[in-house]
Structure formats: C-alpha cells, structure tokens
Amino acid sequence: MEHKKAEDAVADRRDFLKRSAISVAAAGAVAVAGKAASANETAAPTGAGYRETEHVKAFYNSARF
C-alpha cells in the first residue's frame, strides 16, 4: 500500500510538471502572436528627445565613455 502511494505521488508531480510546461508554452505562443499583430503599428516619438547637456557630458567624462 505504501509503495502505491509513492508511485501516485511521483505520477502527480510528473503531471504537474507536464501541465506547467504546456501552460508556459501556450503563454509564450500568445505573447508572440500578440506582438506579431502589433508589429505593424509604429509609435510616434514624443518629447524633446535625447540632448547631450553639460551634466551629461560631465558624467561621460567621469565614467570615461
């Protein structure tokens, strides 16, 4: 009887891992499909953009970039 419980526990763990792997794969497929659908849309840049101001130049000099 004890041996049967141990086998059931192992089978339960395997089933859990299989279901987990399938769930992760499905979630990944949904994420990729969602990105592919929105890949044609372009976002218009907003804001003033990057500016290399004096404090940025000072940081670059101190960091030796």
Side-chain angles (χ1 to χ4, degrees):
M1 189 70 161
E2 184 78 24
H3 184 65
K4 182 69 175 167
K5 287 182 182 178
E7 287 179 5
D8 288 343
V10 170
D12 288 343
R13 276 183 263 158
R14 287 181 183 159
D15 287 340
F16 172 76
L17 291 173
K18 286 178 189 175
R19 290 183 187 133
S20 298
I22 290 171
S23 298
V24 169
V30 168
V32 169
K35 286 188 180 205
S38 65
N40 293 335
E41 300 172 13
T42 58
T46 59
Y50 177 79
R51 290 187 218 155
E52 195 169 304
T53 59
E54 290 303 316
H55 74 280
V56 172
K57 289 178 186 177
F59 172 76
Y60 286 162
N61 286 334
S62 68
R64 296 184 185 169
F65 279 119

